[in-house]
Amino acid sequence: MPDSRTKIAELLRSTAPGTDVVVKGWVRTKRGNKNVAFIAVNDGSIIHNIQIVADVARFDDSLLKKITTGSCIKVEGRLVESLGSGQPVEVQAERIELYGTADPETYPLQKKGHTLEFLREIAYLRPRTNTFGAVLRIRHAMAYAIHKYFNDRGFFYLHTPLITGSDAEGAGAMFQVTTLDLNNVPKNDAGEVDYAQDFFGKPCNLTVSGQLEGELGALALSQIYTFGPTFRAENSNTPRHLAEFWMIEPEMAFYELEDNMELAEDFLKYLIRYALENCADDLAFLAKMYDGELLERLRFVVENDFVRLDYTEGIEILEKSGEKFEFPVSWGLDLQSEHERYLVERHFKKPVILINYPKEIKAFYMKQNEDGKTVRAMDVLFPKIGEIIGGSQREENLDKLRARVDELGIPQKDIWWYLDTRRWGSAPHSGFGLGFERLLLFVTGMANIRDVIPFPRTPKSAEF
Amino acid sequence: MPDSRTKIAELLRSTAPGTDVVVKGWVRTKRGNKNVAFIAVNDGSIIHNIQIVADVARFDDSLLKKITTGSCIKVEGRLVESLGSGQPVEVQAERIELYGTADPETYPLQKKGHTLEFLREIAYLRPRTNTFGAVLRIRHAMAYAIHKYFNDRGFFYLHTPLITGSDAEGAGAMFQVTTLDLNNVPKNDAGEVDYAQDFFGKPCNLTVSGQLEGELGALALSQIYTFGPTFRAENSNTPRHLAEFWMIEPEMAFYELEDNMELAEDFLKYLIRYALENCADDLAFLAKMYDGELLERLRFVVENDFVRLDYTEGIEILEKSGEKFEFPVSWGLDLQSEHERYLVERHFKKPVILINYPKEIKAFYMKQNEDGKTVRAMDVLFPKIGEIIGGSQREENLDKLRARVDELGIPQKDIWWYLDTRRWGSAPHSGFGLGFERLLLFVTGMANIRDVIPFPRTPKSAEF
């Protein structure tokens, strides 16, 4: 890499003490006595700090005084074995350059612990903390693993549009996108908004799902996946909702529901195994600080076959459970987190894939079963968080799809292009959606979804 | 992979004729005589088709009749060496299942060639053509190479927000995001839009750049990159503008301008080398169909050191060139494509990195040079397309940055959080932006940016 420093992640793996090194990073703490200063420096490459040992006599007093928590420094020195720092090596400083100070009177991230609520208010600074360094490194690792998984298996990454003129996606409330002047909205003769003057010449929204366009890709390239931002304008101020989040939606021609289940299970296990193998230090830190059962829960998913079960059987189990649920159980119920977690955590003690849901509680595009009542939907249910993946085989028969669209009152003129894919060269196909932040909640053990995305967007909040 | 077929990409690499195979895909052509039918099938995994040979006597007449261009079939048969198909192997069909027909009377993608303009109108079907199959596979490969490049070098993928309450990014006109009812915009007592009732409680827009937030990440994790959608509400109906496009923005603490240049050159060469090595068939197709000099141009970039040159020297060369430019040359000019291409294609015959631009034509956050006139900007200029990357070292000095912000009349209250990064723990840092579709224009040789993104968004157009 161009710049001359060695990353701390690399230094801490080094087996060559005695070499001259250059370290750059931010000071986490400084302690010491009148002879020697111990400066813990972090550069974000790894959760651990490297200890800089500075012989006080060798450095200008005023320089050392300015090296406080949060300041940024460059250190040239010698990498030596460490006896006391808790790390195998430390750096004996020869030269120190101060890049940027951090006045202890004003800098908010002093050594003391901070609540996650406080850190959320200063989201622009929280990547400098251990917790958010760990979360963001894991977020990166998971994003990379997703691309690697699909690339290695011949899936093509398809960028579906964010701005959409279609409102048939039906997955939730939408944000409108406009260039009209809200102080002076142009009206037509009928007194309605004159969308001919808007940028796209019609009302447009931010997408709630790339699936419909994803299917267009799959029915040409066989296997595609999306990985992009998705939006919901729902006024839900909860630890599980964001107005802007990232979603992964693979879509595969020639996959039936069984293939879809196999892919979903293999995919999730791959991602979690990748985290266990590549993010061990960050996971250990988060487990220690926030969630003692985190590693156990991750291994639980990797090591168990997922149970595959009909919705109808799931309902029977819940009815016979003798549990008192907040939402009473009966066939037709849209399962709540309490039901999902009962099946996973108490009954099967394994992840569960529930299939063949009542058509009334699922989307119009799902493949209809022969029974006339259920569709080939699948939800993957996980411990602690409930549904982590939702998917289905898609209805590939044009007549059946049209009939369902009409039944639900969706105007065919809004999705003529989607219907056309069943008109010409239709094929059995399937897909699913994984909410990226939902995955990260599971992998990091964090409890609030606002803590697994760098800059959360929620009702009344779009800071930084 | 779960489903039982073998991909055509794999079959065509096969050195084991004689094995039983299952092929699934879309019919490109059917020809033959009364004894034998030759069916060319494509599944999107590769640009080439596999030839299916069907002994007419073995199949139902009505089945064979329905197998027309665009229909989707499953073929079970034997992989055999091919004498005539132009491919090493073909499939001797034993069973054929018809998944979906494509009525020749209505299906738009018949065998004859289609203009790119026509295909743009049916963007929902064009991934089924050779051209867009090739473009989308290359698009995937480039996206993957970008993630791999950064992951392998310890950069972290940072998801910067799409919806932003900040309008200080200054890179262009913005789309507004709202949940207010445009037919009935609520007003406050002063008669202005009552944004307290809007979703975020204030006016919000779609981002034009993730850079400012990217810097927050770099000043914590050292090296980050963004790769996400970006928006411009500019009414530009040209072959080079999109309202929604994807951008890559790496940002690196401790990088000075020279490091930034090295990274940009290494990065671009890596991506183009990756395309040459991994997309050879698709590139060969595009070169043959659209741009005979494509491969030569790609190799030209990989094989040449980029020239590094001061803007001021560039201006001198242009002034001395004796060329008659549409935009007359003088110091202070914001270079146009004609000037950039002159330097690259005619004067140096190499890619050029132009640095140290006049501060008046560059953004507020660029590091100011000692001369008081120029900033540490860099633009990477390529043959055929001109500027492919724009970047700079960032101004890390709080006082200088504030002075420039004030000079330009940007309200400090809009970017207090950005300024704060220079207040605490500031460090030299740099970054750049690469428009993904700009890269794809270069790599694919396509001439219109609407042909390198699956679903283009442009003025008055947001279809599918």
Side-chain angles (χ1 to χ4, degrees):
Chain A
M1 285 289 86
D3 75 320
S4 58
R5 77 187 164 117
T6 307
K7 286 183 190 167
I8 292 168
E10 215 171 295
L11 285 180
L12 293 178
R13 279 195 304 266
S14 171
T15 52
T19 51
D20 287 334
V21 296
V22 178
V23 179
K24 300 177 182 179
W26 292 270
V27 173
R28 286 293 164 83
T29 58
K30 189 182 73 177
R31 57 191 180 81
N33 53 43
K34 66 176 193 297
N35 298 319
V36 62
F38 300 103
I39 307 165
V41 172
N42 188 283
D43 66 3
S45 63
I46 189 171
I47 192 144
H48 307 297
N49 306 324
I50 192 142
Q51 176 159 286
I52 309 293
V53 182
D55 186 353
V56 168
R58 294 187 58 154
F59 296 93
D60 197 63
D61 213 38
S62 71
L63 171 72
L64 287 180
K65 226 175 238 161
K66 284 186 206 147
I67 295 175
T68 58
T69 296
S71 61
C72 186
I73 59 175
K74 169 185 178 183
V75 179
E76 296 174 65
R78 184 162 296 238
L79 192 69
V80 297
E81 283 183 52
S82 173
L83 299 175
S85 76
Q87 298 293 346
V89 289
E90 61 190 21
V91 173
Q92 202 76 46
E94 276 154 27
R95 266 176 304 280
I96 300 181
E97 185 181 338
L98 182 65
Y99 283 138
T101 58
D103 182 355
E105 297 294 312
T106 58
Y107 185 57
L109 289 173
Q110 296 305 319
K111 187 177 157 26
K112 72 181 175 73
H114 303 282
T115 67
L116 293 172
E117 290 73 18
F118 171 72
L119 294 177
R120 233 168 272 151
E121 284 166 29
I122 52 165
Y124 75 112
L125 288 177
R126 66 181 183 174
R128 299 182 180 191
T129 64
N130 283 332
T131 294
F132 288 92
V135 167
L136 292 175
R137 281 186 296 270
I138 293 171
R139 191 175 165 106
H140 162 78
M142 290 294 88
Y144 186 68
I146 287 164
H147 287 296
K148 182 165 168 50
Y149 179 87
F150 286 124
N151 182 71
D152 289 353
R153 285 154 186 81
F155 285 63
F156 301 107
Y157 183 23
L158 186 78
H159 286 128
T160 50
L162 282 282
I163 296 174
T164 172
S166 148
D167 59 0
E169 294 167 350
M174 296 176 107
F175 288 103
Q176 187 165 3
V177 175
T178 184
T179 52
L180 296 177
D181 177 2
L182 264 58
N183 270 305
N184 190 11
V185 176
K187 301 281 169 83
N188 59 22
D189 295 343
E192 289 156 350
V193 179
D194 183 10
Y195 281 111
Q197 296 187 45
D198 206 351
F199 189 90
F200 296 108
K202 64 178 177 183
C204 279
N205 298 305
L206 288 176
T207 188
V208 295
S209 163
Q211 181 201 315
L212 302 193
E213 289 91 353
E215 290 187 46
L216 303 179
L219 290 168
L221 303 169
S222 295
Q223 297 175 326
I224 64 90
Y225 70 105
T226 73
F227 186 174
T230 319
F231 304 86
R232 298 283 148 82
E234 266 142 35
N235 201 7
S236 304
N237 239 322
T238 83
R240 294 163 63 90
H241 288 87
L242 289 170
E244 173 182 317
F245 55 100
W246 287 66
M247 193 137 79
I248 298 100
E249 297 181 284
E251 194 71 35
M252 298 74 64
F254 315 122
Y255 271 47
E256 307 202 359
L257 187 62
E258 289 68 25
D259 308 310
N260 208 19
M261 285 194 275
E262 264 184 65
L263 184 76
E265 178 169 347
D266 185 61
F267 178 52
L268 287 169
K269 285 181 169 172
Y270 176 91
L271 295 180
I272 293 166
R273 211 179 298 119
Y274 189 96
L276 286 167
E277 287 168 7
N278 292 276
C279 308
D281 289 357
D282 289 323
L283 288 174
F285 173 82
L286 294 173
K288 192 180 77 179
M289 298 297 287
Y290 299 102
D291 182 350
E293 291 161 14
L294 176 61
L295 296 172
E296 195 186 327
R297 205 179 307 115
L298 297 180
R299 282 191 286 260
F300 169 84
V301 167
V302 171
E303 288 162 9
N304 279 292
D305 287 338
F306 295 9
V307 174
R308 298 173 187 196
L309 190 75
D310 254 45
Y311 168 90
T312 300
E313 293 172 75
I315 290 291
E316 283 166 17
I317 291 169
L318 292 168
E319 282 176 334
K320 287 183 194 147
S321 69
E323 284 292 306
K324 223 176 145 48
F325 293 110
E326 190 188 337
F327 293 84
V329 175
S330 68
W331 200 94
L333 173 73
D334 198 0
L335 296 188
Q336 302 297 311
S337 188
E338 57 175 339
H339 310 117
E340 295 170 344
R341 294 185 61 177
Y342 176 84
L343 292 172
V344 171
E345 295 169 18
R346 313 249 323 262
H347 187 82
F348 289 108
K349 300 193 168 60
K350 287 184 185 181
V352 171
I353 310 183
L354 215 56
I355 60 173
N356 295 325
Y357 281 74
K359 66 178 181 183
E360 280 72 22
I361 58 173
K362 290 292 181 184
F364 73 92
Y365 48 70
M366 296 193 179
K367 186 174 171 67
Q368 299 158 37
N369 280 318
E370 298 292 322
D371 63 14
K373 296 192 321 191
T374 60
V375 289
R376 294 185 77 65
M378 67 171 206
D379 281 2
V380 182
L381 313 180
F382 259 28
K384 196 173 174 193
I385 60 168
E387 181 197 328
I388 190 161
I389 273 181
S392 75
Q393 187 168 344
R394 316 308 188 187
E395 182 55 75
E396 85 265 24
N397 181 290
L398 180 59
D399 293 332
K400 287 187 188 169
L401 182 61
R402 268 191 190 142
R404 187 70 183 138
V405 160
D406 288 345
E407 204 172 17
L408 293 170
I410 301 169
Q412 287 197 27
K413 69 169 177 44
D414 288 354
I415 49 166
W416 60 271
W417 47 273
Y418 182 74
L419 296 173
D420 267 3
T421 56
R422 275 66 169 176
R423 194 169 159 208
W424 299 310
S426 189
H429 64 290
S430 298
F432 60 79
L434 168 67
F436 189 50
E437 286 76 18
R438 195 64 72 89
L439 171 73
L440 288 172
L441 283 176
F442 185 75
V443 173
T444 62
M446 300 300 282
N448 191 317
I449 202 162
R450 297 166 202 213
D451 296 335
V452 295
I453 191 166
F455 304 97
R457 266 75 185 107
T458 55
K460 307 298 171 208
S461 175
E463 302 307 311
F464 318 116
Chain B
M1 286 287 87
D3 75 320
S4 57
R5 77 184 164 118
T6 307
K7 285 183 191 168
I8 293 169
E10 215 169 296
L11 286 180
L12 294 179
R13 278 195 304 266
S14 172
T15 52
T19 51
D20 288 334
V21 296
V22 178
V23 178
K24 300 177 182 179
W26 292 270
V27 174
R28 287 292 165 83
T29 58
K30 189 180 72 174
R31 58 189 181 82
N33 52 44
K34 66 178 194 297
N35 298 318
V36 62
F38 300 103
I39 307 165
V41 172
N42 189 283
D43 66 2
S45 63
I46 188 170
I47 192 145
H48 306 298
N49 306 323
I50 193 144
Q51 174 159 287
I52 309 293
V53 183
D55 186 352
V56 168
R58 293 187 58 154
F59 295 93
D60 197 65
D61 213 39
S62 71
L63 172 71
L64 288 181
K65 227 175 237 159
K66 284 186 206 145
I67 296 176
T68 57
T69 296
S71 61
C72 186
I73 60 175
K74 170 185 177 182
V75 178
E76 297 174 65
R78 185 161 294 238
L79 192 69
V80 297
E81 283 184 53
S82 172
L83 300 175
S85 77
Q87 297 293 345
V89 291
E90 60 190 21
V91 173
Q92 202 76 44
E94 278 154 26
R95 264 174 304 280
I96 300 181
E97 185 181 338
L98 181 65
Y99 283 139
T101 57
D103 182 354
E105 297 294 313
T106 58
Y107 186 57
L109 289 174
Q110 297 305 317
K111 188 177 158 26
K112 73 179 175 75
H114 302 281
T115 65
L116 293 172
E117 289 73 19
F118 171 71
L119 293 176
R120 234 169 269 150
E121 284 167 28
I122 53 165
Y124 75 112
L125 288 178
R126 65 182 184 173
R128 299 183 180 191
T129 63
N130 283 332
T131 295
F132 288 91
V135 167
L136 292 174
R137 282 186 295 270
I138 293 170
R139 191 175 166 107
H140 162 78
M142 289 295 86
Y144 185 68
I146 287 163
H147 286 297
K148 182 165 167 51
Y149 180 87
F150 287 124
N151 182 71
D152 289 352
R153 285 154 186 80
F155 284 62
F156 301 108
Y157 182 24
L158 187 77
H159 286 128
T160 49
L162 281 283
I163 295 173
T164 172
S166 148
D167 59 0
E169 294 166 351
M174 295 176 108
F175 288 102
Q176 186 164 5
V177 175
T178 183
T179 53
L180 296 177
D181 177 3
L182 264 57
N183 270 305
N184 191 10
V185 176
K187 302 280 170 79
N188 59 22
D189 294 343
E192 289 155 348
V193 179
D194 183 10
Y195 281 110
Q197 296 187 46
D198 206 350
F199 190 90
F200 296 108
K202 63 178 177 182
C204 278
N205 298 306
L206 289 176
T207 188
V208 295
S209 162
Q211 180 200 315
L212 301 193
E213 290 91 352
E215 289 186 46
L216 304 178
L219 290 167
L221 303 169
S222 293
Q223 296 175 326
I224 62 92
Y225 69 105
T226 74
F227 186 175
T230 320
F231 304 87
R232 297 284 148 83
E234 268 143 35
N235 201 8
S236 304
N237 240 321
T238 84
R240 293 164 63 89
H241 288 88
L242 289 169
E244 174 182 316
F245 55 99
W246 287 66
M247 194 139 78
I248 299 100
E249 296 182 284
E251 194 72 35
M252 298 73 63
F254 314 123
Y255 271 47
E256 308 202 0
L257 187 62
E258 288 68 25
D259 308 309
N260 207 20
M261 286 193 276
E262 264 184 64
L263 184 75
E265 178 169 346
D266 186 61
F267 178 51
L268 288 169
K269 286 180 169 172
Y270 175 92
L271 295 180
I272 292 165
R273 212 179 297 118
Y274 190 96
L276 287 167
E277 287 168 7
N278 291 275
C279 308
D281 289 356
D282 289 324
L283 289 174
F285 174 82
L286 294 174
K288 192 179 76 178
M289 297 297 288
Y290 298 102
D291 182 350
E293 291 161 13
L294 176 61
L295 296 172
E296 194 186 329
R297 204 180 308 114
L298 297 179
R299 281 191 288 258
F300 169 85
V301 167
V302 171
E303 288 163 9
N304 279 292
D305 287 338
F306 295 9
V307 173
R308 298 173 187 195
L309 189 75
D310 255 44
Y311 167 90
T312 301
E313 293 171 75
I315 290 291
E316 282 165 17
I317 291 169
L318 292 168
E319 283 175 333
K320 287 184 195 150
S321 69
E323 285 291 306
K324 221 176 147 48
F325 293 111
E326 190 188 339
F327 293 85
V329 175
S330 68
W331 199 95
L333 173 73
D334 199 0
L335 296 189
Q336 302 298 309
S337 188
E338 56 174 339
H339 310 117
E340 295 170 345
R341 295 184 62 177
Y342 177 84
L343 290 173
V344 171
E345 295 169 18
R346 313 243 330 256
H347 187 83
F348 289 108
K349 299 194 169 62
K350 286 183 184 181
V352 171
I353 310 182
L354 215 55
I355 60 173
N356 295 325
Y357 282 74
K359 67 178 180 184
E360 280 73 20
I361 58 172
K362 290 292 181 184
F364 72 92
Y365 46 70
M366 297 194 180
K367 185 173 171 68
Q368 298 157 38
N369 280 318
E370 298 292 323
D371 63 14
K373 296 192 320 190
T374 61
V375 289
R376 297 185 75 65
M378 67 172 203
D379 282 0
V380 182
L381 313 180
F382 259 28
K384 195 172 174 193
I385 60 169
E387 182 197 328
I388 190 160
I389 273 180
S392 76
Q393 185 167 345
R394 316 307 188 188
E395 181 54 75
E396 85 265 23
N397 180 289
L398 180 58
D399 293 333
K400 287 188 189 169
L401 182 61
R402 267 193 192 142
R404 186 71 184 136
V405 159
D406 288 345
E407 204 171 16
L408 292 170
I410 301 169
Q412 287 197 27
K413 68 170 178 44
D414 288 354
I415 49 166
W416 60 270
W417 47 273
Y418 181 74
L419 297 173
D420 267 3
T421 56
R422 276 65 170 177
R423 194 169 158 208
W424 300 310
S426 189
H429 63 292
S430 299
F432 60 80
L434 168 66
F436 189 49
E437 285 76 18
R438 195 64 72 87
L439 172 73
L440 289 172
L441 283 177
F442 185 75
V443 173
T444 63
M446 300 300 282
N448 191 316
I449 202 163
R450 297 167 202 211
D451 295 334
V452 296
I453 191 166
F455 304 98
R457 267 74 184 106
T458 55
K460 306 297 173 210
S461 175
E463 302 306 312
F464 319 116

